Each structure stands twice: as C-alpha cells, then as structure tokens.
Amino acid sequence: MTDITQRRVPVAQAAPASDRREDHQPVLVIGREGRPGQPAGQALPGARPPRHLADLDPGERRAAAERLGQRSFRGDQLSRHYFARLTDDPVEMTDVPAEARVPLAEALLPRLLTAEREFTCDQGQTRKTLWRAFDGAYVESVLMRYPGRVTMCVSSQAGCGMACPFCATGQAGLTRNLSAAEIVTQVVAGARALARGEVPGGPGRISNVVFMGMGEPLANYSRVLAAVRRITDRVPDGLGISRRAVTVSTVGLVPAIARLAGERLPVRLAVSLHAPDDGLRDELVPVNRRWKVAEVLDAAWSYAAATGRRVSIEYALIRDINDQAWRAEALADLLSGHLAHVNLIPLNPTPGSRWTASDPGVMREFEERLARRGIPVTVRDTRGTEIDGACGQLAAAGRAEPR
Ligand code: SAH
C-alpha cells in the first residue's frame, strides 16, 4: 500500500461559525509549508473586488441607485437587464435615459471577471473557462450540457485553504474569497452563452449549479449564501434557478453546515467524505483533524432533517488507499438508515501525484457492496477530464501557458 503519511499537512486552525471573520478571512485556514493559519498563494491583503449589482439584494440595489442621484426603480431596471436579459451593456438599456446608463453601469455593473482562456470538449458541450479577476487572481468554472439538463460548476474561492492532498486546487493554497457577484458572474456567463446559442445543442438555460469548482464554499459562507440567493431568487431579482437544483459541496465544516441548515434554503448538501475512518480521513481531508467523521455525518443528518433533502456523500476512489471492501462495508454501516446518496468519483490524478483511480473492477465491487446494503449509489461521470475540467483538477494551470 502506498504510504500516504509521508505528505503531512499542518493541523487545521478553526474558528467558531459565530465568528463572522469569514468576510476577511476564511473560517478555517490550513496553512501550508509549516505556516498554519496563513493564507497561502498570492493573497493581497485588503484587496476587495469592486461592488456589483449581484452583491446587493433588491432593496440595496434601489438604495444604491438613489445614492447615485437616480430614481430608485433604476435599480430594478438594471436587475432586469442583468438577470433577465443577461446583459450589462449600457447600449442595450434603452429603457434607461441615455445620460443615466453609463454612470449606473459603471457604478453597479463593473466587469469583475475577464475570460482569459476557454477550453472545450465533448463536441463543445463541456466548456471550461479560466477567469482573471481584478487583482489578477484566477478562478475556473465549467459548463456541462447533458440531454435535458445543463450544470454549471462554479468556484467560490481563488484557490483553497483545505489542503486535501489529492486535489489540484488544494495544492496551491488559498488566494482569497470570491465576492458574491464574482460567483454569480460565472453563472451569468454560462447562462448568456447558452441563451445566445453558443453551446452546441441550441439555445438553452442553466438548470443546475454546483459549488464544486475551486474553493471551500462554507469557508466563504456569507458570500456564497448571497450568491445562492441571487442564483435562485425569481427573475428579475435573480436568475430564477430552482433552489433544489443548487448543490453546496463541503469538506465538512460542521458549524457552517449547522448554520446552512438554519437558512430555510433547501439546497442540496454534498459532503466530501472520501473515507469512513478518521485515521485515513485525517490524511485525505485534513480538516477531519478538527471535525471527525461522526461529527460531520451528524451535521449532515441534521441538515437532511431540517431540509428534507438527501445528502450527497462524495467519495473519490483512490487505488489501494480508500477502495478496500472493508471500507465499503464501513461506509455502509455509517450511512445505513440515513437520508444519503453516495457519489463515487474515480480519482482524477493531479500532476505529480502518486495516487491514481481504482481499477474498474474494484470500483464496481465497491459500488455493489453499497448497493447490496441498500445505500443509493452512483458513479460520477468524469466530464472534462481532457481539459482538466474534471473534479479536483481546477488548478488554473492554463495561466502559465502562452496565449
Ligand atoms: N471544497 C469543496 C468543493 C470543491 S471540490 C469540497 O471539498 O467538497 C468538489 C469535489 O471534487 C469534492 O468532493 C472533492 O473532494 C472532489 N475532488 C477533488 N479533487 C479530486 C480529484 N483529484 N479526483 C476526484 N475528485 C476530486
């Protein structure tokens, strides 16, 4: 068996969920290279993305219009342009007086993300975009079109502080939290490309949004929550995507899961478990040293009880690391009788990693063992592997390549 203990990451430092510090720094930072508590990457202290309409709720938008010396309903008009017509171009805002368009758009619709590169595969039905933010931070989003549904996978942070050793984003450390509008912009860009018929398959709409791109969404709680509201609020206040079609995926930040359960927002929760035992999970998902498997699952079951929604348990199958028959049985023991569904993900090996995906036969056996125990289980499709757009591969590698 491969020795996974060689690659040690420093122990997590945790702050209580009641501590609102996530507006300035994540709830939890796992330092890398022996600097626990220090955000890694090129963090720019104090750098804040420009304010945008999508950071504000409808009342705040009206107030913002008034502060600009405009009538308050201009805030609603701008919302309609952005969320319903998917435009932020003042030229198209013909219902707004010409002299008001530019100041309103400049103040409330600044460009937040610039598409640096676009990668496609699956005959154009999988599209990954590498975005550059105002401060040079890079993030990625992936659009995946399937028959009857389009899923947008978005980033919630530039980089990630959770340091899971099998994840490409985890290797680079955290740069910073994204603003709500920076998250929403990724969805709007996908919606726009679909509406304009730029994605093969004809004009369409986004049906699902998953927070499974870069970052730990629950470490950027307030902004992710604001983004979820913009994504799910009715048109034209928001994008009008069903709340049940939004998935927030987490390493298992227990206080934040409890807080989310109290929001009365029936989004789906996905928990990245990856191991049924603390010994292995401490290594694969280092935050487990702070919140153990039992605590994470307790929080998940409370979430399921509060929302009535089945929790998705993510499990990346890593050859000879977490794919043994006894671990399948141990996982079934943990989940049996609970409102859960297991998503098995063949590991996408990250560059330089000595880990790889389990053999197909082993994967099948793992799946069958869970199914035999009555646990709903599916094997995740690994769309986008060839464009590094598959789970855990979002490392913004493209930025280093010549344009
Ligand atoms: N931080 C969040 C969301 C981002 S990752 C979380 O951890 O849930 C989305 C999913 O992809 C997580 O389940 C994550 O563990 C998984 N993942 C990361 N790297 C992977 C890889 N190399 N192969 C397969 N799945 C991976």
Side-chain angles (χ1 to χ4, degrees):
M1 188 177 126
T2 318
D3 176 15
I4 65 159
T5 57
Q6 283 171 5
R7 196 184 171 288
R8 291 236 164 243
V9 283
V11 177
Q13 291 207 329
S18 57
D19 182 342
R20 296 294 181 102
R21 280 189 311 161
E22 89 270 10
D23 282 348
H24 308 285
Q25 63 183 91
V27 171
L28 190 145
V29 172
I30 296 175
R32 293 173 50 77
E33 285 125 35
R35 292 178 296 124
Q38 286 292 313
Q42 356 100 278
L44 299 175
R48 291 210 170 219
R51 183 191 58 167
H52 186 281
L53 184 84
D55 290 312
L56 309 177
D57 67 30
E60 292 168 337
R61 292 172 210 163
R62 286 191 282 272
E66 280 184 346
R67 272 197 301 277
L68 291 165
Q70 303 290 335
R71 307 281 296 280
S72 62
F73 69 88
R74 300 281 175 227
D76 299 323
Q77 286 179 309
L78 245 54
S79 299
R80 187 169 296 280
H81 285 294
Y82 187 70
F83 290 111
R85 304 201 178 103
L86 304 170
T87 183
D88 48 15
D89 182 354
V91 174
E92 294 175 33
M93 301 178 187
T94 49
D95 56 344
V96 180
E99 65 280 8
R101 286 182 214 165
V102 171
L104 277 167
E106 273 178 0
L108 290 172
L109 296 168
R111 175 182 292 194
L112 297 175
L113 300 178
T114 306
E116 188 93 340
R117 291 172 67 98
E118 198 100 52
F119 308 80
T120 59
C121 62
D122 304 316
Q123 290 84 46
Q125 300 213 325
T126 302
R127 293 159 61 108
K128 178 177 86 166
T129 309
L130 171 66
W131 300 102
R132 190 166 43 77
F134 80 105
D135 57 351
Y138 284 91
V139 292
E140 299 183 356
S141 61
V142 187
L143 180 151
M144 291 159 283
R145 186 171 213 168
Y146 304 89
R149 112 187 115 93
V150 183
T151 298
M152 194 74 211
C153 177
V154 296
S155 296
S156 55
Q157 298 181 311
C160 184
M162 299 297 117
C164 301
F166 58 89
C167 172
T169 309
Q171 309 312 296
L174 179 70
T175 299
R176 68 167 169 86
N177 284 324
L178 297 189
S179 67
E182 285 177 314
I183 298 168
V184 173
T185 297
Q186 299 168 53
V187 184
V188 167
R192 197 179 278 154
L194 276 162
R196 293 182 183 164
E198 292 165 14
V199 182
R205 304 164 68 94
I206 289 172
S207 50
N208 299 70
V209 175
V210 297
F211 283 81
M212 292 189 180
M214 294 172 136
E216 166 52 41
L218 295 188
N220 185 16
Y221 189 93
S222 54
R223 295 178 183 101
V224 164
L225 202 78
V228 170
R229 294 201 190 281
R230 304 295 107 76
I231 289 165
T232 59
D233 276 355
R234 282 209 201 104
V235 181
D237 287 344
L239 287 168
I241 294 169
S242 161
R243 296 192 292 191
R244 303 179 67 82
V246 173
T247 300
V248 173
S249 183
T250 179
V251 287
L253 305 187
V254 166
I257 294 174
R259 193 170 160 197
L260 189 63
E263 303 284 355
R264 308 246 154 269
L265 198 68
V267 295
R268 183 183 290 286
L269 179 73
V271 172
S272 297
L273 198 67
H274 305 314
D277 51 312
D278 287 320
L280 179 57
R281 194 167 191 268
D282 280 352
E283 301 301 327
L284 294 182
V285 185
V287 73
N288 196 71
R289 296 174 204 174
R290 174 67 181 80
W291 291 291
K292 299 292 176 196
V293 170
E295 286 174 272
V296 172
L297 290 179
D298 273 352
W301 309 146
S302 299
Y303 188 86
T307 58
R309 303 233 43 205
R310 204 160 73 161
V311 174
S312 183
I313 302 293
E314 310 295 298
Y315 199 105
L317 282 166
I318 314 176
R319 184 183 297 174
D320 296 336
I321 300 291
N322 65 352
D323 60 359
Q324 303 82 355
W326 75 265
R327 281 202 163 93
E329 297 296 337
L331 182 61
D333 291 342
L334 291 175
L335 305 187
S336 207
H338 292 287
L339 211 52
H341 168 271
V342 177
N343 223 331
L344 297 175
I345 318 167
L347 183 84
N348 284 309
T350 55
S353 166
R354 57 209 147 79
W355 292 336
T356 187
S358 305
D359 288 328
V362 172
M363 251 186 272
R364 230 176 1 257
E365 190 194 328
F366 202 96
E367 182 187 4
E368 281 166 9
R369 279 182 184 275
L370 292 174
R372 269 202 299 276
R373 298 280 304 275
I375 313 286
V377 54
T378 45
V379 177
R380 163 100 57 88
D381 128 274
T382 51
R383 274 265 186 126
T385 315
E386 58 274 50
I387 53 170
D388 290 347
C391 344
Q393 288 193 340
L394 302 183
R399 66 179 178 234
E401 292 166 24
R403 258 180 263 171

